Amino acid sequence: MENTTRTELSSMGEFGLINHLVQYFIPKVDSTIKDAGDDAAIVSPPLGEHLVLTTDLLVEGVHFDLMYTPLKHLGYKAVIVNLSDVCAMNAKPTQFTVSLAVSSKYSVEALEELYSGMLAACETYGVDLVGGDTTTIANGCAISITAIGFNKPEKLSLRSGAKPNDLLVVTGDLGGAYLGLQILEREKEVFLAAPGVQPLLEGYDYVIARQLKPEARLDVVQLLEQLEVKPTAMIDISDGLSSEIIHLAENSNCSFRVFEDKIPVSPEVQSCAKELNMDPTTCALNGGEDYELLFTISMDDYEKIKGNPNFSVIGHATPVGEKNILETKGGGVVELKAQGWKI
Ligand code: ADP
Ligand code: MG
């Protein structure tokens, strides 16, 4: 849905542009004392809580492709990837800043779209935009978001902390975002070869949404609090299950044994993987950007999460020095390797 009018960025001036873009962002979070518009934002930390701080940089052509990424989705996702990192510390995100480097190919209307996605993220997650920086760049666009959040010190979960026999738990289902990207890339190739041919995206809604509109699992942070479960270690899945398991293992000084038949894969992911001649388990292990949470819990907490549809227990921690093992559906064992994802 392209905007038909085009207002050049240069026509507004830096201050006019910033004021224009942030005008609909009304701070709602109690701890926001001063939002965008001064030299710096002011945040009042909740009494006795620690501040969690994270940042992520997205670069056009490296982390996103505007041929199939609507700017509104890009704005939403740029916020979400940061909120997901705050959630992965078992903290609640509260504020963020946005730094933008944009070339003149972007219009005011394009940036309005980008900011409408960020506004949607503010509304969904109850967070405030409290500032940023804006500059020009020769080509393309780069967006850097810095987010903060809070929680009581004893609630925060690091990547270290898993102990042998702890259970390994993952939220939601995996592999969808990677398959969504494959479909979008496939349709881009078709379009480039024959412009005018409509992309074939029907029937792939789930995997495309997983790629273009990921969510941060703040609901899981809240649920764990309600259930009185504190993960012994936690990480979010941005690079694929395999590599995140290896991060937990290295940071916690332990190893993991994972069972293929326990890895949650949705029916949509199954059928899409089949169609693309891919193994759904490989998509879950090595695909990226699902933004689910992967964490360990003490076995004593198993009863509290048992049967909850948000959680899948996929394995357990083993002593350091053992290999990180996937036990396959056929009963074989393979060592988990980090394929990683785009840096
Ligand atoms: P300074 O010269 O002090 O860096 P700026 O002119 O860059 O100030 O920014 C003015 C105000 O607008 C600041 O409060 C800043 O946080 C905010 N701001 C600047 N760019 C953005 C942006 N892209 N999105 C949101 N707020 C922004
Ligand atoms: Mg500035």
Side-chain angles (χ1 to χ4, degrees):
M1 276 177 278
E2 284 283 314
N3 238 318
T4 44
T5 48
R6 180 185 162 94
T7 311
E8 298 300 328
L9 293 179
S10 54
S11 72
M12 284 197 105
E14 187 189 336
F15 301 126
L17 176 67
I18 296 166
N19 287 339
H20 179 72
L21 292 174
V22 303
Q23 64 182 318
Y24 300 113
F25 290 78
I26 312 296
K28 295 175 295 294
V29 181
D30 287 346
S31 57
T32 306
I33 306 300
K34 181 76 191 82
D35 62 334
D38 215 304
D39 295 312
I42 305 177
V43 173
S44 154
L47 201 64
E49 300 199 357
H50 276 182
L51 182 148
V52 168
L53 170 73
T54 186
T55 194
D56 246 301
L57 175 62
L58 297 179
V59 175
E60 182 178 346
V62 179
H63 302 100
F64 59 91
D65 185 332
L66 287 178
M67 268 201 74
Y68 51 70
T69 312
L71 283 161
K72 182 171 182 180
H73 287 71
L74 178 62
Y76 192 82
K77 184 168 175 173
V79 177
I80 291 317
V81 299
N82 282 278
L83 303 188
S84 178
D85 278 324
V86 174
C87 291
M89 302 301 289
N90 207 29
K92 291 166 199 154
T94 44
Q95 288 90 5
F96 67 93
T97 59
V98 184
S99 293
L100 269 187
V102 277
S103 65
S104 56
K105 90 170 176 188
Y106 286 79
S107 62
V108 171
E109 289 76 16
L111 295 190
E112 283 171 358
E113 283 290 302
L114 185 75
Y115 272 71
S116 73
M118 294 188 214
L119 186 60
C122 286
E123 281 158 3
T124 305
Y125 289 91
V127 295
D128 289 341
L129 169 66
V130 294
D133 201 19
T134 315
T135 184
T136 53
I137 190 174
N139 289 300
C141 160
I143 308 168
S144 173
I145 293 193
T146 297
I148 63 171
F150 296 92
N151 208 347
K152 297 193 178 73
E154 67 275 16
K155 294 274 175 72
L156 299 174
S157 287
L158 309 184
R159 293 180 180 187
S160 51
K163 300 265 178 306
N165 297 324
D166 279 359
L167 300 175
L168 184 65
V169 185
V170 70
T171 63
D173 62 85
L174 302 176
Y178 173 76
L179 286 166
L181 183 64
Q182 302 314 302
I183 296 292
L184 291 166
E185 289 279 354
R186 181 181 81 178
E187 295 309 312
K188 175 185 164 182
E189 293 308 316
V190 171
F191 179 82
L192 288 175
V197 174
Q198 282 299 306
L200 201 81
L201 300 176
E202 292 84 45
Y204 303 110
D205 308 28
Y206 181 73
V207 295
I208 289 174
R210 293 290 281 168
Q211 170 59 222
L212 292 183
K213 195 173 175 291
E215 301 292 352
R217 297 307 307 261
L218 175 59
D219 60 328
V220 167
V221 173
Q222 290 160 339
L223 180 59
L224 290 171
E225 186 174 43
Q226 265 172 32
L227 296 172
E228 296 180 2
V229 173
K230 192 212 145 177
T232 51
M234 184 147 69
I235 191 168
D236 69 329
I237 303 190
S238 50
D239 293 340
L241 181 62
S242 255
S243 103
E244 313 305 2
I245 288 174
I246 291 166
H247 284 313
L248 284 184
E250 285 173 351
N251 283 277
S252 291
N253 213 19
C254 68
S255 306
F256 286 98
R257 191 170 191 94
V258 179
F259 301 91
E260 185 186 7
D261 62 345
K262 305 289 187 207
I263 297 174
V265 173
S266 73
E268 293 90 343
V269 166
Q270 298 264 12
S271 64
C272 186
K274 195 170 168 204
E275 188 191 322
L276 297 182
N277 239 331
M278 288 176 171
D279 174 23
T281 302
T282 308
C283 296
L285 288 173
N286 300 330
E289 301 194 291
D290 287 313
Y291 297 103
E292 296 294 341
L293 293 173
L294 176 71
F295 58 93
T296 50
I297 57 169
S298 155
M299 271 209 296
D300 299 340
D301 282 336
Y302 175 61
E303 288 300 319
K304 298 182 192 164
I305 65 145
K306 193 175 133 189
N308 189 307
N310 288 289
F311 303 125
S312 302
V313 178
I314 60 169
H316 58 263
T318 55
V320 65
E322 293 191 13
K323 289 192 162 105
N324 293 305
I325 291 294
L326 176 75
E327 203 169 301
T328 66
K329 287 176 183 161
V333 290
V334 288
E335 186 179 351
L336 287 172
K337 295 267 199 268
Q339 299 273 326
W341 195 231
K342 290 182 275 205
I343 53 164

